[in-house]
């Protein structure tokens, strides 16, 4: 029994590590596809359609006897879950990824758990008592994370790795591209901040949705259908050319299939399951691991340099994140005994 309990405890950890690996490869593929000219909205729409085709049969057969009825309230939850967790979240991330680097984009997403905590405090989902050690840890962790974001954004520093520099005409073209990229870097950073906000709201919304509609596969499939309609409608309104929907390059086809089946289909199910089992803050705590994986892919395959500012900012953000999570765990461990004491008091009152 104890061995089974330990295995159950490790299941969410293993699930999030698998999700991290899937996310790292997904990020690298998307970066490569966007650089090849694939439209962001088209990628979102096709990715969600592939995920729908992949997951719908599984949801239908696995939950046909346990699936609750859809109500208007659940449909509203699903609509906003699709908008925040898929359409808006992916678009803002793709925009930021296109105008920054894969490592920078993933590093910036470390801010999501901190924003999740702040929003949860404002909505009174999370408690904050600054008089005890747990509350102080939460404040310190939040401030350190924001300091890491500022350092990451404002300070680039020297290159810690040295990729082969282009020469001749290629060097002139690279310099012109770099100058143009600097103008869009701020917009990319703002887009990544918006992505963090969308992701934070989605985590909090998803924790409520899983309680109201516990059919995990079905709710995720519904979310994919709605988000593909949202993305498709927006694409049709903005892009008048039918040619944008045609995938001609191998990297575009591989990106759509991989991100649809694994990035969305398997990834969202793993994340939603972990939110249900261990909560949104636990799920967010595994984001820094993606950063390490993406940095390796970014350097060896996308040939991007790693800079001092990114390393220092990342260290501050990750330290702040885990200090925040330590405060959360202290709060949780303090809450469990108090709940047990209240139950024992109630039982004594009933007996008396």
């Amino acid at each position: 029994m104890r061995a089974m309990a330990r295995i159950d405890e490790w299941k969410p950890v293993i699930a999030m590590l698998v999700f991290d690996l899937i996310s790292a490869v997904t990020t690298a593929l998307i970066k490569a596809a966007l650089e090849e000219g694939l439209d962001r909205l088209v990628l979102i729409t096709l990715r969600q359609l592939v995920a729908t085709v992949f997951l719908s049969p599984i949801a239908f057969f696995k939950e046909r006897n346990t699936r609750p009825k859809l109500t208007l309230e659940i449909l509203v939850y699903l609509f906003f879950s699709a908008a925040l967790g898929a359409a808006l979240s992916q678009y803002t991330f793709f925009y930021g990824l296109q105008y920054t680097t894969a490592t920078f984009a993933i590093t910036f997403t470390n801010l999501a758990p901190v924003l999740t905590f702040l929003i949860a405090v404002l909505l009174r989902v999370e408690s904050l008592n600054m008089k005890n050690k747990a509350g102080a840890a939460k404040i310190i962790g939040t401030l350190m994370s924001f300091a890491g974001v500022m350092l990451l954004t404002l300070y680039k520093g020297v290159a810690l790795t040295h990729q082969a520099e282009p020469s001749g005409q290629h060097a002139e073209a690279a310099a012109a591209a770099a100058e143009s990229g600097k103008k869009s870097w701020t917009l990319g950073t703002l887009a990544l901040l918006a992505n963090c906000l969308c992701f934070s709201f989605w985590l909090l919304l998803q924790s409520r949705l899983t309680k109201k509609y516990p059919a995990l596969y079905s709710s995720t499939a519904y979310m994919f259908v709605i988000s593909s309609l949202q993305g498709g409608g927006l694409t049709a309104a903005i892009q008048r050319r039918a040619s944008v929907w045609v995938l001609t390059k191998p990297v575009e086809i591989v990106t759509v299939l991989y991100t649809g089946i694994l990035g969305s289909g398997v990834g969202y199910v793993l994340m939603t399951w972990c939110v249900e089992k261990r909560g949104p803050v636990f799920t967010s705590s595994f984001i820094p691991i993606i950063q390490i994986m993406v940095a390796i892919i970014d350097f060896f395959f996308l040939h991007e340099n790693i800079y001092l500012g990114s390393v220092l900012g990342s260290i501050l953000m990750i330290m702040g994140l885990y200090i925040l999570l330590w405060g959360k765990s202290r709060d949780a461990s303090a809450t469990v005994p108090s709940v047990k004491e209240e139950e024992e008091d109630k039982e004594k009152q009933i007996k008396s």
Side-chain angles (χ1 to χ4, degrees), residues 40-282:
R40 292 184 291 269
L41 287 172
V42 170
L43 174 56
I44 292 170
T45 305
L46 294 180
R47 172 183 179 176
Q48 299 307 92
L49 281 174
V50 170
T52 302
V53 173
F54 170 76
L55 193 61
S56 294
I58 299 173
F60 178 78
F61 289 106
K62 190 174 181 63
E63 298 175 338
R64 57 183 172 181
N65 297 323
T66 59
R67 188 185 303 112
K69 290 183 178 180
L70 278 177
T71 62
L72 180 60
E73 181 187 11
I74 298 301
L75 284 173
V76 171
Y77 269 98
L78 287 170
F79 178 85
F80 284 104
S81 178
L84 291 172
L88 287 174
S89 179
Q90 288 184 32
Y91 185 82
T92 51
F93 182 75
F94 292 172
Y95 190 96
L97 180 62
Q98 189 170 4
Y99 291 109
T100 59
T101 65
T103 304
F104 180 88
I106 287 295
T107 302
F108 207 90
T109 57
N110 287 323
L111 186 62
V114 180
L115 291 176
T116 302
F117 165 70
L118 290 177
I119 294 168
V121 169
L122 292 175
L123 297 177
R124 297 184 178 180
V125 178
E126 297 279 346
S127 60
L128 179 62
N129 183 6
M130 291 181 288
K131 295 180 180 179
N132 58 26
K133 290 182 179 180
K138 291 178 183 179
I139 296 295
I140 293 170
T142 301
L143 293 176
M144 285 184 67
S145 295
F146 277 111
V149 169
M150 295 299 293
L151 183 61
L152 188 70
T153 307
L154 301 177
Y155 176 67
K156 190 173 184 179
V158 297
L160 300 179
T161 57
H162 299 282
Q163 297 286 1
E165 297 293 336
S167 59
Q169 293 180 350
H170 293 288
E172 294 177 3
E179 187 64 28
S180 175
K182 287 178 182 178
K183 297 178 182 178
S184 302
W185 189 273
T186 303
L187 290 176
T189 303
L190 291 174
L192 292 172
L193 177 60
N195 167 259
C196 291
L197 286 170
C198 290
F199 184 73
S200 298
F201 278 113
W202 179 80
L203 282 174
L204 295 171
L205 180 66
Q206 199 71 3
S207 63
R208 289 192 175 187
L209 177 60
T210 51
K211 294 176 182 177
K212 292 179 177 290
Y213 196 80
L216 176 62
Y217 295 95
S218 298
S219 64
T220 309
Y222 282 130
M223 186 184 75
F224 290 155
V225 173
I226 296 171
S227 62
S228 62
L229 293 174
Q230 292 169 342
L234 191 57
T235 307
I238 295 174
Q239 295 286 358
R240 300 295 182 180
R241 294 176 294 108
S243 59
V244 298
W245 295 96
V246 181
L247 305 179
T248 57
K249 300 174 182 177
V251 68
E252 295 177 347
I253 298 171
V254 171
T255 299
V256 168
L257 292 176
Y258 182 92
T259 58
I261 296 173
L262 292 175
S264 289
V266 177
Y268 273 92
V269 169
L270 287 174
M271 188 187 298
T272 305
W273 182 78
C274 287
V275 169
E276 180 186 8
K277 294 294 181 182
R278 301 290 290 270
V281 177
F282 170 85

Side-chain angles (χ1 to χ4, degrees), residues 258-305:
Y258 182 92
T259 58
I261 296 173
L262 292 175
S264 289
V266 177
Y268 273 92
V269 169
L270 287 174
M271 188 187 298
T272 305
W273 182 78
C274 287
V275 169
E276 180 186 8
K277 294 294 181 182
R278 301 290 290 270
V281 177
F282 170 85
T283 306
S284 300
S285 68
F286 281 81
I287 292 176
I289 300 174
I290 306 176
Q291 179 185 339
I292 299 170
M293 298 178 181
V294 170
I296 295 171
I297 296 171
D298 207 9
F299 177 71
F300 286 104
F301 297 99
L302 300 180
H303 307 296
E304 297 280 356
N305 280 319

